[in-house]
Amino acid sequence: MLVANPKGGSGKSTLATNLAGYFACSGRNVMLGDVDRQQSSLRWLQERSPALPAIQGWEVSAGTPAKPPKGTEVIVLDSGAGLHGKKMASLIARVERIIIPIQPSPFDMWASGEFFEQLLAEKAVRKSKVFMAVVGMRVDPRTRSAKELERFLAEHDVPVLSWLRDTQLYVQAAATGMTLFDLPPSRTQKDRDAWKPILQWLGEPQDGCWFDK
C-alpha cells in the first residue's frame, strides 16, 4: 500500500508507521519503505526497539536496486511531498491500495484536488486494479471543517475511511519508534476504534490485534 499526499505535513509518516505497526503486531512480515527525501520513516525505524514486533526496511546491497527483504508479506510505502509524473506512476504500478491523509484545511484541500485528478487518470486506478481512499488527520468529525472536507471529497468521488483525532499519543509513540498498536489498550482503545474502518478496507479481520494486545 502507498501512503501519499502532495503536501508536506499532511500526516503521511504518522499513517505509514502506524499501518506498519499494526501489521507487525498482527504477526505479518512487514516492510516499511521510505520513498521520501526526508526519510522520516527510516529515522523512526532506527528508533524502534528490537523487543517490539519487527518492522523491516528496504534490503540494500551495493550496485543493486533496493528491494523488500525475503519473506515480506506486507509492504507500506511512505511517499514524499510533490509526488507526480513518472515516479508516481511507478509507485502506483507496485501497489494495490493508496491511502491519502488529509487535514481539514483549505490549503490541504486545494493541494489535494489536482492530486486526485492525477491519480484517477492513472491506468491502474481507472481499471480498478488499485483502489484509493482518504483518512482525515488531526480532526474531529463533528466540526464544521470536517464537514467541509467531506463535501470536498464527495465532489471527487473519493471515500473517507475514518477520522484520526489530534492526540499526543501519536507524537509520544513516534519518539521511541512505537505505534498506537504497541501501547496498552487502556490508553489507546478510542483511537484504535478509529482505525477499524481503515483496516477493514484493507481486508483485515474485525477481531484483529487492536483487541488482542
Side-chain angles (χ1 to χ4, degrees):
M1 63 207 70
L2 172 67
V3 179
N5 186 304
K7 187 176 179 300
S10 60
K12 291 186 290 292
S13 293
T14 296
L15 197 54
T17 53
N18 278 272
L19 279 167
Y22 165 79
F23 286 110
C25 160
S26 64
R28 250 71 64 83
N29 292 328
V30 57
M31 189 204 86
L32 176 62
D34 199 329
V35 292
D36 183 359
R37 190 181 306 169
Q38 292 184 356
Q39 296 289 290
S40 301
S41 291
L42 178 61
R43 173 60 192 274
W44 173 85
L45 207 53
Q46 292 169 347
E47 298 294 326
R48 189 167 176 82
S49 168
L52 295 170
I55 299 172
Q56 301 187 75
W58 294 108
E59 188 174 88
V60 181
S61 302
T64 61
K67 59 183 180 180
K70 187 176 181 180
T72 297
E73 299 171 275
V74 179
I75 297 175
V76 180
L77 297 178
D78 182 7
S79 72
L83 183 65
H84 68 284
K86 291 183 179 179
K87 186 172 184 179
M88 181 175 76
S90 175
L91 287 173
I92 290 173
R94 301 182 183 192
V95 301
E96 296 175 355
R97 305 275 173 154
I98 303 169
I99 303 180
I100 306 159
I102 298 182
Q103 295 187 56
S105 79
F107 301 105
D108 283 71
M109 287 187 274
W110 295 334
S112 300
E114 185 178 347
F115 185 57
F116 290 147
E117 298 306 320
Q118 292 172 359
L119 288 174
L120 290 168
E122 288 292 330
K123 185 177 180 180
V125 177
R126 283 190 287 107
K127 294 195 172 184
S128 297
K129 293 182 179 180
V130 177
F131 298 93
M132 55 186 276
V134 162
V135 173
M137 303 293 289
R138 307 185 188 108
V139 61
D140 183 337
R142 298 167 297 180
T143 61
R144 179 179 175 181
S145 58
K147 300 301 180 187
E148 290 174 354
L149 176 58
E150 217 164 10
R151 283 195 294 271
F152 167 78
L153 294 171
E155 293 174 4
H156 294 275
D157 197 25
V158 180
V160 183
L161 300 178
S162 189
W163 307 91
L164 304 187
R165 70 188 182 115
D166 189 4
T167 170
Q168 285 297 302
L169 281 174
Y170 291 108
V171 178
Q172 293 164 4
T176 54
M178 299 177 74
T179 73
L180 198 70
F181 303 100
D182 298 309
L183 300 174
S186 58
R187 291 182 59 196
T188 61
Q189 193 61 60
K190 180 177 180 179
D191 294 289
R192 291 186 186 214
D193 287 345
W195 276 83
K196 290 181 185 179
I198 302 171
L199 299 171
Q200 288 166 9
W201 184 73
L202 293 171
E204 290 300 292
Q206 296 186 30
D207 58 348
C209 78
W210 60 72
F211 290 130
D212 297 339
K213 284 179 70 65

Short mmCIF file of all heavy atoms in Angstrom, two decimals, residues 22-76:
data_model
loop_
_atom_site.label_atom_id
_atom_site.label_comp_id
_atom_site.label_asym_id
_atom_site.label_seq_id
_atom_site.Cartn_x
_atom_site.Cartn_y
_atom_site.Cartn_z
N TYR A 22 0.65 -1.89 12.93
CA TYR A 22 -0.48 -2.81 13.04
C TYR A 22 -0.14 -4.17 12.44
O TYR A 22 -0.38 -5.22 13.05
CB TYR A 22 -1.73 -2.24 12.34
CG TYR A 22 -2.75 -3.32 12.13
CD1 TYR A 22 -3.57 -3.74 13.18
CD2 TYR A 22 -2.85 -4.00 10.92
CE1 TYR A 22 -4.46 -4.78 13.01
CE2 TYR A 22 -3.74 -5.04 10.74
CZ TYR A 22 -4.55 -5.43 11.79
OH TYR A 22 -5.42 -6.47 11.64
N PHE A 23 0.40 -4.18 11.23
CA PHE A 23 0.70 -5.45 10.56
C PHE A 23 1.77 -6.23 11.31
O PHE A 23 1.71 -7.47 11.38
CB PHE A 23 1.11 -5.20 9.11
CG PHE A 23 -0.04 -4.83 8.23
CD1 PHE A 23 -0.17 -3.54 7.73
CD2 PHE A 23 -1.01 -5.76 7.92
CE1 PHE A 23 -1.24 -3.19 6.93
CE2 PHE A 23 -2.10 -5.42 7.11
CZ PHE A 23 -2.22 -4.13 6.62
N ALA A 24 2.74 -5.53 11.90
CA ALA A 24 3.76 -6.21 12.70
C ALA A 24 3.12 -6.83 13.94
O ALA A 24 3.40 -7.97 14.31
CB ALA A 24 4.86 -5.23 13.10
N CYS A 25 2.23 -6.07 14.58
CA CYS A 25 1.52 -6.56 15.76
C CYS A 25 0.68 -7.79 15.45
O CYS A 25 0.53 -8.69 16.28
CB CYS A 25 0.64 -5.43 16.30
SG CYS A 25 -0.71 -5.93 17.37
N SER A 26 0.15 -7.85 14.23
CA SER A 26 -0.72 -8.97 13.87
C SER A 26 0.07 -10.18 13.37
O SER A 26 -0.52 -11.16 12.92
CB SER A 26 -1.73 -8.53 12.80
OG SER A 26 -1.08 -8.17 11.61
N GLY A 27 1.39 -10.09 13.43
CA GLY A 27 2.22 -11.25 13.14
C GLY A 27 2.70 -11.37 11.71
O GLY A 27 3.31 -12.37 11.33
N ARG A 28 2.47 -10.34 10.88
CA ARG A 28 2.93 -10.39 9.49
C ARG A 28 4.37 -9.91 9.36
O ARG A 28 4.84 -9.08 10.16
CB ARG A 28 2.04 -9.52 8.61
CG ARG A 28 1.16 -10.29 7.67
CD ARG A 28 0.02 -11.01 8.39
NE ARG A 28 -0.92 -10.14 9.04
CZ ARG A 28 -1.94 -9.56 8.42
NH1 ARG A 28 -2.13 -9.76 7.14
NH2 ARG A 28 -2.79 -8.80 9.08
N ASN A 29 5.05 -10.40 8.34
CA ASN A 29 6.37 -9.88 7.98
C ASN A 29 6.15 -8.61 7.16
O ASN A 29 5.71 -8.68 6.00
CB ASN A 29 7.16 -10.90 7.16
CG ASN A 29 7.56 -12.11 7.98
OD1 ASN A 29 7.79 -12.01 9.19
ND2 ASN A 29 7.62 -13.27 7.35
N VAL A 30 6.41 -7.46 7.75
CA VAL A 30 6.08 -6.19 7.12
C VAL A 30 7.33 -5.37 6.83
O VAL A 30 8.28 -5.37 7.62
CB VAL A 30 5.09 -5.38 8.00
CG1 VAL A 30 5.64 -5.14 9.39
CG2 VAL A 30 4.72 -4.06 7.34
N MET A 31 7.32 -4.71 5.69
CA MET A 31 8.39 -3.79 5.33
C MET A 31 7.84 -2.39 5.22
O MET A 31 6.79 -2.17 4.59
CB MET A 31 9.02 -4.17 3.99
CG MET A 31 10.28 -3.37 3.68
SD MET A 31 10.65 -3.25 1.91
CE MET A 31 9.65 -1.84 1.43
N LEU A 32 8.52 -1.44 5.85
CA LEU A 32 8.17 -0.02 5.74
C LEU A 32 9.20 0.62 4.81
O LEU A 32 10.38 0.71 5.14
CB LEU A 32 8.20 0.64 7.12
CG LEU A 32 7.95 2.16 7.15
CD1 LEU A 32 6.56 2.49 6.61
CD2 LEU A 32 8.10 2.69 8.58
N GLY A 33 8.77 1.02 3.62
CA GLY A 33 9.67 1.61 2.65
C GLY A 33 9.49 3.11 2.60
O GLY A 33 8.37 3.61 2.43
N ASP A 34 10.57 3.86 2.75
CA ASP A 34 10.51 5.31 2.76
C ASP A 34 11.01 5.84 1.42
O ASP A 34 12.18 5.71 1.09
CB ASP A 34 11.39 5.86 3.90
CG ASP A 34 11.03 7.29 4.27
OD1 ASP A 34 10.59 8.03 3.37
OD2 ASP A 34 11.18 7.66 5.44
N VAL A 35 10.10 6.41 0.63
CA VAL A 35 10.50 6.99 -0.64
C VAL A 35 10.43 8.52 -0.57
O VAL A 35 10.37 9.21 -1.59
CB VAL A 35 9.62 6.46 -1.80
CG1 VAL A 35 9.91 5.00 -2.04
CG2 VAL A 35 8.14 6.65 -1.52
N ASP A 36 10.49 9.05 0.65
CA ASP A 36 10.51 10.49 0.89
C ASP A 36 11.95 10.94 1.08
O ASP A 36 12.74 10.28 1.76
CB ASP A 36 9.69 10.80 2.16
CG ASP A 36 9.59 12.29 2.45
OD1 ASP A 36 10.16 13.09 1.69
OD2 ASP A 36 8.94 12.64 3.45
N ARG A 37 12.30 12.08 0.47
CA ARG A 37 13.66 12.60 0.59
C ARG A 37 14.06 12.83 2.05
O ARG A 37 15.22 12.69 2.43
CB ARG A 37 13.77 13.91 -0.20
CG ARG A 37 15.18 14.44 -0.36
CD ARG A 37 15.16 15.75 -1.13
NE ARG A 37 14.46 15.62 -2.40
CZ ARG A 37 14.12 16.66 -3.16
NH1 ARG A 37 14.41 17.89 -2.77
NH2 ARG A 37 13.50 16.47 -4.30
N GLN A 38 13.10 13.21 2.90
CA GLN A 38 13.42 13.49 4.31
C GLN A 38 13.69 12.23 5.12
O GLN A 38 14.27 12.29 6.20
CB GLN A 38 12.27 14.27 4.97
CG GLN A 38 12.11 15.67 4.43
CD GLN A 38 11.03 16.44 5.18
OE1 GLN A 38 10.35 15.91 6.05
NE2 GLN A 38 10.87 17.70 4.84
N GLN A 39 13.23 11.08 4.63
CA GLN A 39 13.49 9.79 5.29
C GLN A 39 12.98 9.75 6.74
O GLN A 39 13.60 9.16 7.62
CB GLN A 39 14.98 9.46 5.24
CG GLN A 39 15.55 9.26 3.84
CD GLN A 39 15.06 7.98 3.19
OE1 GLN A 39 15.45 6.88 3.60
NE2 GLN A 39 14.22 8.10 2.17
N SER A 40 11.82 10.35 6.99
CA SER A 40 11.26 10.39 8.35
C SER A 40 10.94 9.00 8.87
O SER A 40 11.22 8.67 10.03
CB SER A 40 9.98 11.25 8.37
OG SER A 40 10.26 12.56 7.95
N SER A 41 10.36 8.16 8.02
CA SER A 41 10.00 6.80 8.46
C SER A 41 11.24 5.96 8.73
O SER A 41 11.26 5.14 9.65
CB SER A 41 9.13 6.11 7.40
OG SER A 41 7.87 6.73 7.33
N LEU A 42 12.29 6.16 7.95
CA LEU A 42 13.53 5.43 8.17
C LEU A 42 14.14 5.82 9.51
O LEU A 42 14.60 4.96 10.27
CB LEU A 42 14.53 5.71 7.04
CG LEU A 42 15.90 5.03 7.17
CD1 LEU A 42 15.75 3.52 7.19
CD2 LEU A 42 16.81 5.46 6.02
N ARG A 43 14.11 7.10 9.83
CA ARG A 43 14.63 7.56 11.12
C ARG A 43 13.82 6.96 12.26
O ARG A 43 14.36 6.52 13.28
CB ARG A 43 14.59 9.10 11.18
CG ARG A 43 14.95 9.69 12.53
CD ARG A 43 16.36 9.33 12.96
NE ARG A 43 16.61 9.66 14.34
CZ ARG A 43 17.01 10.87 14.77
NH1 ARG A 43 17.20 11.86 13.89
NH2 ARG A 43 17.23 11.09 16.04
N TRP A 44 12.49 6.92 12.09
CA TRP A 44 11.61 6.31 13.09
C TRP A 44 11.96 4.84 13.28
O TRP A 44 12.02 4.34 14.40
CB TRP A 44 10.17 6.47 12.65
CG TRP A 44 9.17 5.76 13.49
CD1 TRP A 44 8.59 6.19 14.65
CD2 TRP A 44 8.62 4.44 13.25
NE1 TRP A 44 7.72 5.25 15.14
CE2 TRP A 44 7.72 4.17 14.30
CE3 TRP A 44 8.80 3.49 12.25
CZ2 TRP A 44 7.01 2.97 14.37
CZ3 TRP A 44 8.10 2.30 12.33
CH2 TRP A 44 7.21 2.06 13.38
N LEU A 45 12.22 4.14 12.19
CA LEU A 45 12.55 2.73 12.23
C LEU A 45 13.84 2.49 13.02
O LEU A 45 13.97 1.50 13.74
CB LEU A 45 12.71 2.20 10.81
CG LEU A 45 12.44 0.73 10.53
CD1 LEU A 45 11.08 0.30 11.05
CD2 LEU A 45 12.54 0.46 9.03
N GLN A 46 14.78 3.41 12.92
CA GLN A 46 16.05 3.30 13.64
C GLN A 46 15.85 3.45 15.15
O GLN A 46 16.67 2.95 15.94
CB GLN A 46 17.04 4.34 13.13
CG GLN A 46 17.50 4.09 11.71
CD GLN A 46 18.27 5.26 11.11
OE1 GLN A 46 18.27 6.37 11.66
NE2 GLN A 46 18.94 5.03 9.99
N GLU A 47 14.78 4.12 15.56
CA GLU A 47 14.48 4.32 16.98
C GLU A 47 13.71 3.15 17.58
O GLU A 47 13.58 3.04 18.79
CB GLU A 47 13.66 5.60 17.18
CG GLU A 47 14.35 6.89 16.76
CD GLU A 47 15.56 7.20 17.62
OE1 GLU A 47 15.53 6.89 18.83
OE2 GLU A 47 16.55 7.75 17.08
N ARG A 48 13.21 2.25 16.73
CA ARG A 48 12.33 1.18 17.20
C ARG A 48 13.13 0.10 17.94
O ARG A 48 14.16 -0.39 17.44
CB ARG A 48 11.58 0.56 16.03
CG ARG A 48 10.47 -0.41 16.44
CD ARG A 48 9.58 -0.72 15.25
NE ARG A 48 8.57 -1.73 15.59
CZ ARG A 48 7.43 -1.47 16.20
NH1 ARG A 48 7.14 -0.23 16.57
NH2 ARG A 48 6.56 -2.44 16.47
N SER A 49 12.64 -0.30 19.12
CA SER A 49 13.31 -1.30 19.94
C SER A 49 13.21 -2.69 19.32
O SER A 49 12.14 -3.08 18.82
CB SER A 49 12.70 -1.31 21.34
OG SER A 49 13.13 -2.44 22.07
N PRO A 50 14.28 -3.49 19.38
CA PRO A 50 14.22 -4.88 18.91
C PRO A 50 13.23 -5.73 19.69
O PRO A 50 12.83 -6.80 19.23
CB PRO A 50 15.65 -5.38 19.13
CG PRO A 50 16.50 -4.16 19.22
CD PRO A 50 15.63 -3.10 19.84
N ALA A 51 12.82 -5.26 20.88
CA ALA A 51 11.86 -6.01 21.70
C ALA A 51 10.43 -5.90 21.16
O ALA A 51 9.56 -6.69 21.53
CB ALA A 51 11.91 -5.52 23.14
N LEU A 52 10.18 -4.91 20.29
CA LEU A 52 8.85 -4.72 19.72
C LEU A 52 8.67 -5.60 18.47
O LEU A 52 9.66 -6.07 17.90
CB LEU A 52 8.66 -3.25 19.33
CG LEU A 52 8.66 -2.25 20.49
CD1 LEU A 52 8.72 -0.82 19.94
CD2 LEU A 52 7.41 -2.43 21.35
N PRO A 53 7.42 -5.86 18.05
CA PRO A 53 7.21 -6.62 16.81
C PRO A 53 8.02 -6.02 15.66
O PRO A 53 8.00 -4.80 15.45
CB PRO A 53 5.70 -6.49 16.58
CG PRO A 53 5.12 -6.32 17.95
CD PRO A 53 6.12 -5.49 18.70
N ALA A 54 8.71 -6.87 14.93
CA ALA A 54 9.69 -6.41 13.94
C ALA A 54 9.05 -5.75 12.72
O ALA A 54 8.05 -6.24 12.19
CB ALA A 54 10.57 -7.57 13.50
N ILE A 55 9.65 -4.64 12.31
CA ILE A 55 9.32 -3.97 11.05
C ILE A 55 10.63 -3.78 10.30
O ILE A 55 11.58 -3.22 10.83
CB ILE A 55 8.66 -2.60 11.29
CG1 ILE A 55 7.35 -2.76 12.07
CG2 ILE A 55 8.41 -1.89 9.96
CD1 ILE A 55 6.73 -1.44 12.50
N GLN A 56 10.69 -4.26 9.08
CA GLN A 56 11.94 -4.17 8.32
C GLN A 56 11.91 -3.01 7.34
O GLN A 56 10.84 -2.52 6.96
CB GLN A 56 12.17 -5.48 7.55
CG GLN A 56 12.27 -6.69 8.46
CD GLN A 56 12.67 -7.94 7.71
OE1 GLN A 56 13.84 -8.10 7.34
NE2 GLN A 56 11.71 -8.80 7.46
N GLY A 57 13.09 -2.57 6.93
CA GLY A 57 13.22 -1.57 5.89
C GLY A 57 13.65 -2.22 4.60
O GLY A 57 13.69 -3.44 4.47
N TRP A 58 14.00 -1.41 3.61
CA TRP A 58 14.50 -1.93 2.34
C TRP A 58 15.74 -2.79 2.56
O TRP A 58 16.55 -2.51 3.43
CB TRP A 58 14.87 -0.79 1.40
CG TRP A 58 13.77 0.07 0.90
CD1 TRP A 58 13.52 1.36 1.27
CD2 TRP A 58 12.78 -0.25 -0.08
NE1 TRP A 58 12.44 1.86 0.60
CE2 TRP A 58 11.97 0.89 -0.24
CE3 TRP A 58 12.51 -1.39 -0.83
CZ2 TRP A 58 10.90 0.92 -1.13
CZ3 TRP A 58 11.45 -1.36 -1.72
CH2 TRP A 58 10.65 -0.22 -1.87
N GLU A 59 15.90 -3.80 1.74
CA GLU A 59 17.14 -4.57 1.71
C GLU A 59 18.03 -3.93 0.65
O GLU A 59 17.69 -3.90 -0.53
CB GLU A 59 16.85 -6.03 1.35
CG GLU A 59 18.04 -6.94 1.49
CD GLU A 59 17.64 -8.39 1.25
OE1 GLU A 59 17.68 -8.82 0.08
OE2 GLU A 59 17.27 -9.07 2.23
N VAL A 60 19.17 -3.39 1.08
CA VAL A 60 20.03 -2.63 0.17
C VAL A 60 21.38 -3.32 0.04
O VAL A 60 22.05 -3.60 1.04
CB VAL A 60 20.24 -1.19 0.68
CG1 VAL A 60 21.12 -0.42 -0.29
CG2 VAL A 60 18.89 -0.49 0.86
N SER A 61 21.77 -3.63 -1.20
CA SER A 61 23.09 -4.19 -1.50
C SER A 61 23.78 -3.30 -2.51
O SER A 61 23.13 -2.72 -3.40
CB SER A 61 22.96 -5.61 -2.08
OG SER A 61 22.28 -6.46 -1.17
N ALA A 62 25.10 -3.17 -2.38
CA ALA A 62 25.87 -2.30 -3.27
C ALA A 62 25.66 -2.70 -4.73
O ALA A 62 25.77 -3.87 -5.09
CB ALA A 62 27.35 -2.38 -2.92
N GLY A 63 25.31 -1.70 -5.57
CA GLY A 63 25.19 -1.94 -7.00
C GLY A 63 23.89 -2.53 -7.46
O GLY A 63 23.70 -2.81 -8.64
N THR A 64 22.93 -2.74 -6.53
CA THR A 64 21.62 -3.30 -6.91
C THR A 64 20.50 -2.43 -6.35
O THR A 64 20.68 -1.75 -5.33
CB THR A 64 21.44 -4.73 -6.36
OG1 THR A 64 21.49 -4.69 -4.92
CG2 THR A 64 22.54 -5.64 -6.88
N PRO A 65 19.33 -2.42 -7.00
CA PRO A 65 18.20 -1.61 -6.50
C PRO A 65 17.72 -2.11 -5.14
O PRO A 65 17.82 -3.31 -4.84
CB PRO A 65 17.12 -1.82 -7.57
CG PRO A 65 17.83 -2.37 -8.77
CD PRO A 65 19.00 -3.12 -8.25
N ALA A 66 17.21 -1.20 -4.33
CA ALA A 66 16.63 -1.60 -3.04
C ALA A 66 15.42 -2.49 -3.29
O ALA A 66 14.66 -2.29 -4.25
CB ALA A 66 16.21 -0.36 -2.26
N LYS A 67 15.23 -3.49 -2.44
CA LYS A 67 14.12 -4.42 -2.62
C LYS A 67 13.61 -4.87 -1.26
O LYS A 67 14.31 -4.76 -0.25
CB LYS A 67 14.56 -5.62 -3.44
CG LYS A 67 15.70 -6.42 -2.82
CD LYS A 67 16.15 -7.56 -3.72
CE LYS A 67 17.28 -8.35 -3.09
NZ LYS A 67 17.74 -9.46 -3.96
N PRO A 68 12.38 -5.42 -1.20
CA PRO A 68 11.85 -5.93 0.07
C PRO A 68 12.67 -7.13 0.53
O PRO A 68 13.11 -7.94 -0.29
CB PRO A 68 10.42 -6.34 -0.28
CG PRO A 68 10.10 -5.63 -1.55
CD PRO A 68 11.40 -5.51 -2.29
N PRO A 69 12.87 -7.28 1.84
CA PRO A 69 13.56 -8.47 2.36
C PRO A 69 12.79 -9.74 2.00
O PRO A 69 11.57 -9.71 1.83
CB PRO A 69 13.57 -8.24 3.88
CG PRO A 69 13.40 -6.78 4.05
CD PRO A 69 12.53 -6.34 2.90
N LYS A 70 13.49 -10.85 1.89
CA LYS A 70 12.88 -12.12 1.57
C LYS A 70 11.83 -12.48 2.63
O LYS A 70 12.06 -12.32 3.82
CB LYS A 70 13.96 -13.21 1.52
CG LYS A 70 13.45 -14.55 1.03
CD LYS A 70 14.58 -15.56 0.89
CE LYS A 70 14.07 -16.90 0.37
NZ LYS A 70 15.17 -17.89 0.24
N GLY A 71 10.68 -12.97 2.19
CA GLY A 71 9.62 -13.36 3.11
C GLY A 71 8.66 -12.25 3.46
O GLY A 71 7.72 -12.46 4.23
N THR A 72 8.84 -11.05 2.89
CA THR A 72 7.95 -9.93 3.18
C THR A 72 6.52 -10.25 2.71
O THR A 72 6.32 -10.68 1.58
CB THR A 72 8.44 -8.65 2.49
OG1 THR A 72 9.73 -8.30 3.01
CG2 THR A 72 7.49 -7.49 2.73
N GLU A 73 5.55 -10.02 3.60
CA GLU A 73 4.14 -10.27 3.27
C GLU A 73 3.36 -9.00 2.99
O GLU A 73 2.41 -9.00 2.22
CB GLU A 73 3.48 -11.02 4.44
CG GLU A 73 4.09 -12.37 4.76
CD GLU A 73 3.53 -12.95 6.03
OE1 GLU A 73 4.06 -12.61 7.12
OE2 GLU A 73 2.57 -13.73 5.95
N VAL A 74 3.75 -7.91 3.67
CA VAL A 74 3.04 -6.64 3.54
C VAL A 74 4.06 -5.53 3.34
O VAL A 74 5.07 -5.47 4.05
CB VAL A 74 2.19 -6.32 4.79
CG1 VAL A 74 1.47 -4.99 4.64
CG2 VAL A 74 1.19 -7.43 5.07
N ILE A 75 3.81 -4.65 2.37
CA ILE A 75 4.69 -3.51 2.13
C ILE A 75 3.89 -2.23 2.31
O ILE A 75 2.83 -2.05 1.70
CB ILE A 75 5.30 -3.55 0.72
CG1 ILE A 75 6.18 -4.79 0.55
CG2 ILE A 75 6.12 -2.29 0.44
CD1 ILE A 75 6.71 -4.98 -0.85
N VAL A 76 4.41 -1.32 3.14
CA VAL A 76 3.83 0.00 3.33
C VAL A 76 4.86 1.01 2.82
O VAL A 76 5.99 1.05 3.31
CB VAL A 76 3.51 0.28 4.82
CG1 VAL A 76 2.91 1.69 4.97
CG2 VAL A 76 2.58 -0.77 5.38
#
